[in-house]
Amino acid sequence: MNEYLNIFFVILRRDLTLAFRNKSEFINPLMFFVIIIILFPLAFGSDSALLKQLTSGIIWISALLATCLSLEAIFRSDFEDGSIEQLTLARYPLTLLVSAKVTAHWLTFGLPLIIVALLTGLVLSVPSQTMLALLITLLLGTPVLSLIGAITVALTIGLRGGMLLSLLILPLYMPVLIFSMLAVQNATVGQSIAAEIYFLSGILVLAITLAPITTAAALRIRLS
Amino acid sequence: MNEYLNIFFVILRRDLTLAFRNKSEFINPLMFFVIIIILFPLAFGSDSALLKQLTSGIIWISALLATCLSLEAIFRSDFEDGSIEQLTLARYPLTLLVSAKVTAHWLTFGLPLIIVALLTGLVLSVPSQTMLALLITLLLGTPVLSLIGAITVALTIGLRGGMLLSLLILPLYMPVLIFSMLAVQNATVGQSIAAEIYFLSGILVLAITLAPITTAAALRIRLS
Amino acid sequence: MSIFNIKNLQCIRRDNILFQGLNFDLEQGGLLQIDGVNGSGKSSLLQMCVGLIQASEGSINWNGVNIKESRYQFQSDMTYFGHSNGVKAELTARENMKVMHALSGDKSDIDYSSILKQIGLAGLEDVLLSRMSAGQKRRVGLSRIFMTQSKLWLLDEPFNALDKNGKKIIEQLIVKHCTAGGMVIFATHQTMEIDGYPLQHIHLGNET
Amino acid sequence: MSIFNIKNLQCIRRDNILFQGLNFDLEQGGLLQIDGVNGSGKSSLLQMCVGLIQASEGSINWNGVNIKESRYQFQSDMTYFGHSNGVKAELTARENMKVMHALSGDKSDIDYSSILKQIGLAGLEDVLLSRMSAGQKRRVGLSRIFMTQSKLWLLDEPFNALDKNGKKIIEQLIVKHCTAGGMVIFATHQTMEIDGYPLQHIHLGNET
Amino acid sequence: MSLYKKCHRWFHQFASPKYFYDISHIISKYAIVVCIICFIAGLYGGLILAPADYQQGDSFRIMYVHVPAAWMALFVYVVMAVAGGIGLIWHIKLAEIVARNSAPIGASFTFLALVSGAIWGKPMWGAYWVWDARLTSFLILFFLYLGYIALQSAFEDRRVAARAGAILALVGIVNIPIIHYSVEWWSTLHQGSIISQIDKPTVHMSMLIPLIFMVLAFKTFYVTSLLIRVRTEILEYESNTSWVKQLLRDYKNVTN
Ligand code: HEM
Ligand SMILES: Nc1ncnc2c1ncn2[C@@H]1O[C@H](COP(=O)(O)OP(=O)(O)OP(=O)(O)O)[C@@H](O)[C@H]1O
Ligand SMILES: Nc1ncnc2c1ncn2[C@@H]1O[C@H](COP(=O)(O)OP(=O)(O)OP(=O)(O)O)[C@@H](O)[C@H]1O
Ligand SMILES: [Mg+2]
Ligand SMILES: [Mg+2]
């Protein structure tokens, strides 16, 4: 067990180091996130009453798209330099190694994204109960995005066309988006958001238990 | 001259072949674009009066975002397999070769995107004068997106810390978005859109003349 | 009894049969070179041996068990080094070695500097691999066979990009490993200089 | 008069001076091998010669003109083949060759099949490179020196991944090119077999 | 225990390509007959016998295409995912073939339901398309199908493609309950479940019975077209086995 924990942290450390070395990979999606948010007033005109209504939706959409942009980094470089073969052939379960990689992705992308999202929410003066709902849904939702995203990346990595990835991933993200938006809308009008939180937690638990196994299987399939 | 034209078409053909090798490659960006459009009603709730107001803005933003996600493909694989060195060291001006690559990107991505955008507009019953403005702005705007995008990608491809530059250039998309949205809004209320079209055409001409040179220079900087 | 053995193996790629009915046994201390021209299937055979691609027919056994059935058991007894180095350009030599060492499952303490020295990269501990030459990268990748306890090594063109001295170091390590009861299967187009250690051969393809 | 010459060249990488005060001249028919251990700066020198990296000091001249000043002139007289093949995995051999041929600026009609045959890839015209072996890919990449009219070839470890026969083909081509008045600069760790054609050497690094 | 074994053996026999090739021929023959009968009965009942709706007039008759097509779209997806899963776990070739060939059929049903729904929407809601949860999530199902097909074509090796597709289909199955329950979870314009209204007088028997026929017709149509596709692919897959060669020889003898 201890040995497994150790190898988990070795891989986690490795991926975190890589992310911090290559800062653009880590900051670009965040910048992308902010820029998307800035685009909306430009596109919708600056009718502030209208925009206010849309803010939380905009934040969530931007988060989703920024995730799409960041996902490929989970496996791409490993695929290209042959590291992925070495991970597959290691003496440890691939599921474990994959979990570490996904954790690293969430730490370097999901977590900062939540912080930036909250800051943006503050700047755009989102009311506090909406803000809380936003925080909770992002906390529960972004790990799911990383986890499910990893499966699709594993399936499509190295196949021609990065588009294929986005095509596969967005439909799979819909449930998370739908429940999160429901929660935020309910919170805005002062209703309970317990049901949505249960749903999101359920999805998260499901994703945590099943996604790494599936990702490992997908990687093996992709490599064979 | 004829020789230059010939090499332009060789590179164009090469990049188109690469894009079309995979049959689904052609449809993927389009579906991706549509999926982004679907995200909005999910995130904004289904208040149809509100959504109707936003439709053309949503279409333009989706086009912009889809472009962002598609851009890296212009140079990434060339960078990884050493082709870019060979292009740089060829006896032909790099500007010419880069133009061919950007053209290929627009043909495989921008053009289909315009078609799908129009179809989407039809289904969402965008009024016809708005539709026309949408068509014109997309025709003038998407090549600019490809051209400017190429500079960014050339600067940042495979690079650590290139993010700052990408940050400087991404806002260059803003003018295109602003003028396009102005045109669409004016068209919707029945006003003339001549001014915006002049501006967009100006930007396009500027981009066509300057972007390939800049991209070539950026590539050389990147490789040295 | 042979520890690693292959029975009636067949390899089909691009609808061509590259080889079929391939059999061989490897005992303790066995050193096996796979020969053949470019495209004859050497890499494919090695990838099959480690389970990266599936054989269309035949079986590969480790200690008498099919490697598909005891995958992690086999993987913990085996080290593979392919055409690509399997190292990260954005990590330093030491960081790369730490990861490789951890993945090998060897739990002993290892002095990375001394291994780098053995492999001719003294003083390059903290240099990013992206700033190393082709041969230096290859050496870092090869350092994994200095840090593993596994019995079976499978090396695909280990001498690519290495200079004469680098080649000698690896040759000596291979012989040492086999002498100590290990096993090595490798493919190379270069001539091995191993001072009389018995070398088995498999020839793939029609030409020899 | 020497056609390609290098004056007082210095190379600094990672704050180390790899070499300095390097001079050499290459006449028509000159064949030059760059020697040196891994990391001694062979690839760096070749990259400087083609203008991919800038020398910190010294100059490189082609026909008496600094290559920085007449870049396209030099580039049209030169063919470079580096560590990476510079071919697209998702194109077939023929498609790759078409692009390479067009980029080389040679306007003669070329029979791609016959070149593939010469280079030992007969019948693989329409196979994607992603479905070829390491050596086969390398051969497709090397096919560019069969399709160019340029005088100067710069080859970085051209024999990597090639089998003995492939190596011989390239060696013969190099000798043929030099005999016809061309020039070749290359780096390799393997022994050249060129039947007595005069071979010049540059040694980089301290060890020999 | 012995029952389990029997089942097991039967399953493997059924899944063997040759046996399946033979038996599917018989099944598809019956299925096509049932399909035609139900189709005629359903159309006659739905378009001619059933009375016009007191609210919707004649436009409700699109229901006889829309509802079965929508149900089939969901059903086929589940079949695809389950078959894919079986192929993934037990490496049964037949299951892989069934999964792969269900995708285009399912996508077509989805498309049909979308188009018929849109046409129906015009008189009902005054617009071809509204962004409500049911419609949106159903559109997403369409993209799931297309994504599956795109993934299939991105791989060169069909067996690898089948396994990759199975993973995607299994992950995507979370969308099915969302589509189904969307009318309950969100206030939408779309109609609620018909089945739950059977004991209430909202849906008249003379409207319901033709619908049942149409549903049967769609289902048997799926079975038939799937089997035709599967049989073709079995032949492709097994083209160098002795039984297919024998089959070809027999066929040539017959035609000569
Ligand atoms: C493009 C528009 C439409 C789409 C995408 C759509 C989609 C669907 C779907 C997916 C189902 C199956 C639900 C399930 O079994 O859980 C369904 C069923 C049904 N639809 Fe639509 N629909 C559309 C328009 C309409 C319209 C305009 C009407 C009539 C007002 C309608 C009436 C029905 C009815 C009565 C059912 C059967 C409900 C049940 O028993 O589950 N649909 N539709
Ligand atoms: N991109 C780079 N940035 C900084 N330093 C580098 C870079 N590439 C190589 N170096 C360093 O420059 C030196 C020379 O590298 P070079 O690739 O020229 O060697 P080489 O002689 O070709 O070796 P090999 O035989 O391994 O190919 C090495 O010590 C290496 O560490
Ligand atoms: N991914 C692939 N898909 C299909 N065919 C392949 C693939 N990789 C290689 N092949 C084919 O299989 C054959 C054997 O390839 P392999 O890489 O095993 O050769 P090799 O003996 O290692 O050659 P080399 O000496 O060039 O490394 C080649 O003819 C090649 O065209
Ligand atoms: Mg090989
Ligand atoms: Mg080198």
Side-chain angles (χ1 to χ4, degrees), chain D residues 59-154:
Chain D
S59 69
I60 301 167
N61 306 297
W62 178 250
N63 283 328
V65 189
N66 193 320
I67 61 165
K68 279 188 212 156
E69 272 146 39
S70 61
R71 189 198 287 149
Y72 286 114
Q73 183 52 45
F74 175 59
Q75 291 191 355
S76 65
D77 289 342
M78 173 275 291
T79 299
Y80 170 72
F81 183 65
H83 274 295
S84 54
N85 298 328
V87 289
K88 310 273 348 154
E90 292 303 315
L91 294 181
T92 64
R94 193 203 305 272
E95 287 163 347
N96 265 307
M97 292 174 76
K98 270 190 191 155
V99 174
M100 290 188 277
H101 182 214
L103 284 177
S104 82
D106 176 28
K107 275 172 285 302
S108 59
D109 267 343
I110 280 197
D111 179 5
Y112 300 115
S113 302
S114 86
I115 290 183
L116 281 176
K117 205 165 168 186
Q118 283 178 52
I119 210 164
L121 297 178
L124 297 187
E125 285 86 349
D126 297 316
V127 175
L128 291 182
L129 262 72
S130 61
R131 317 188 80 193
M132 289 193 180
S133 80
Q136 291 170 331
K137 276 182 210 145
R138 193 89 186 143
R139 285 169 190 235
V140 175
L142 277 165
S143 76
R144 73 185 75 222
I145 58 173
F146 286 77
M147 299 187 295
T148 170
Q149 302 293 332
S150 55
K151 290 201 91 170
L152 176 66
W153 297 352
L154 297 119

Side-chain angles (χ1 to χ4, degrees), chain B residues 125-142:
Chain B
S125 48
V126 173
S128 63
Q129 76 274 27
T130 314
M131 209 62 160
L132 187 69
L134 206 58
L135 173 65
I136 296 176
T137 52
L138 283 171
L139 269 176
L140 294 172
T142 49

Side-chain angles (χ1 to χ4, degrees), chain B residues 22 24 31 34-35 38 41-42 46 51 124, chain E residues 129 131-132 136 139-140 143 146 150 153-154:
Chain B
N22 199 328
S24 62
M31 294 208 276
V34 177
I35 291 178
I38 299 175
L42 283 181
S46 44
L51 278 173
L124 300 179
Chain E
W129 188 261
W131 289 112
D132 86 352
T136 313
L139 186 58
I140 287 159
F143 283 110
L146 293 184
S153 72

Side-chain angles (χ1 to χ4, degrees), chain B residues 121-181:
Chain B
L122 270 182
V123 174
L124 300 179
S125 48
V126 173
S128 63
Q129 76 274 27
T130 314
M131 209 62 160
L132 187 69
L134 206 58
L135 173 65
I136 296 176
T137 52
L138 283 171
L139 269 176
L140 294 172
T142 49
V144 180
L145 301 187
S146 296
L147 285 161
I148 297 183
I151 305 177
T152 328
V153 180
L155 277 174
T156 55
I157 191 77
L159 183 77
R160 326 179 267 124
M163 140 231 121
L164 228 156
L165 291 162
S166 98
L167 248 183
L168 293 178
I169 290 177
L170 257 173
L172 290 182
Y173 277 179
M174 302 278 170
V176 178
L177 183 66
I178 291 175
F179 286 118
S180 301
M181 290 322 299

